[in-house]
Amino acid sequence: MSATDAESKRMLRRRMAATLGAMSPEALRIGSERAWRRAVGAGVFADGSTVLLYAPIAGVPEVDLTGLAEELVRRGCRVCMPRLDAGSRTMAAVRVGNLTTDLVADTASGLRGLRVARPGSPEIAAGELDVVRAGVGWGGANRGRVGGGGGSYARFLAVLRGGRARRVAFAFDEQVVERVPMEAHDERVGVIVTPTEVIEVSVGEADARG
């Protein structure tokens, strides 16, 4: 990626942050529920599957999947959350059964409002995951994703490459752009779910990163 493309990526992050930051709490709540219910209705998550989601951060405008996690638990799914190792910048999937009792404040990262799985929660092997919520970002025609810049999610997705896990990105409609800048190490998503549509990867676009 050129310096110009790298700057375009940073500008896209800033533009999307401003766009989502301007949305009202009610719009975020309604959009989040419509998105995850659309995913469930479209059969993205099979009953009994193992799914990696994320815990919402208070005050951060993003698709809130709390309701989805609760619905999946009711459907017999194993719901996992990321566990980040700040030192090695790696990530693992950790199983949680209850988003209220099994999540605690993350005191190591220094990020206010971030919650992680309670110490001692069982780690799930990456190869056991059926669906993975593909990090912070948004996709376009090239099914690209722009992460938060830390790289942990991209490295975790690279580990899953060629496996059975389906990569699903949740986004508000405002986050879906025509294309996003992609570096050689960046990972693609297979499905993008918004409050109004489910965007499936086409046969021509599906590759080992899909």
Side-chain angles (χ1 to χ4, degrees):
M1 175 180 284
S2 67
T4 301
D5 286 335
E7 178 59 27
S8 296
K9 209 172 185 179
R10 288 191 289 270
M11 290 177 62
L12 183 58
R13 285 193 185 99
R14 290 195 292 267
R15 177 163 61 88
M16 289 301 171
T19 298
L20 298 185
M23 295 175 66
S24 69
E26 183 68 2
L28 293 170
R29 183 190 67 78
I30 293 174
S32 294
E33 183 168 353
R34 286 177 176 170
W36 72 255
R37 288 192 182 279
R38 185 172 294 278
V40 171
V44 172
F45 303 96
D47 291 355
S49 57
T50 301
V51 181
L52 176 65
L53 298 179
Y54 64 92
I57 302 175
V60 175
E62 60 183 346
V63 177
D64 186 342
L65 299 181
T66 302
L68 173 61
E70 294 169 347
E71 176 65 20
L72 293 180
V73 169
R74 285 194 292 270
R75 291 170 176 257
C77 295
R78 292 196 299 176
V79 173
C80 303
M81 297 291 172
R83 172 179 286 160
L84 301 178
D85 185 315
S88 63
R89 298 173 68 186
T90 57
M91 193 178 92
V94 181
R95 186 178 182 181
V96 296
N98 185 296
L99 297 190
T100 300
T101 60
D102 290 353
L103 294 179
V104 297
D106 181 9
T107 58
S109 68
L111 295 176
R112 180 175 297 179
L114 180 62
R115 294 176 300 152
V116 296
R118 185 179 298 279
S121 300
E123 184 172 321
I124 302 299
E128 295 182 35
L129 295 170
D130 298 300
V131 182
V132 174
R133 179 267 187 180
V136 179
W138 41 90
N142 62 340
R143 302 301 185 261
R145 59 176 292 276
V146 176
S152 298
Y153 238 109
R155 281 188 285 274
F156 186 77
L157 291 175
V159 171
L160 300 175
R161 193 181 301 168
R164 71 187 190 192
R166 193 180 194 192
R167 301 162 181 217
V168 180
F170 281 88
F172 295 104
D173 293 297
E174 292 83 356
Q175 289 176 276
V176 180
V177 297
E178 182 60 27
R179 299 183 71 84
V180 298
M182 294 285 291
E183 295 181 84
H185 64 266
D186 283 335
E187 298 292 322
R188 301 181 190 274
V189 298
V191 185
I192 302 168
V193 183
T194 78
T196 61
E197 62 181 336
V198 176
I199 308 170
E200 295 275 358
V201 91
S202 70
V203 175
E205 292 168 309
D207 57 19
R209 297 181 178 181

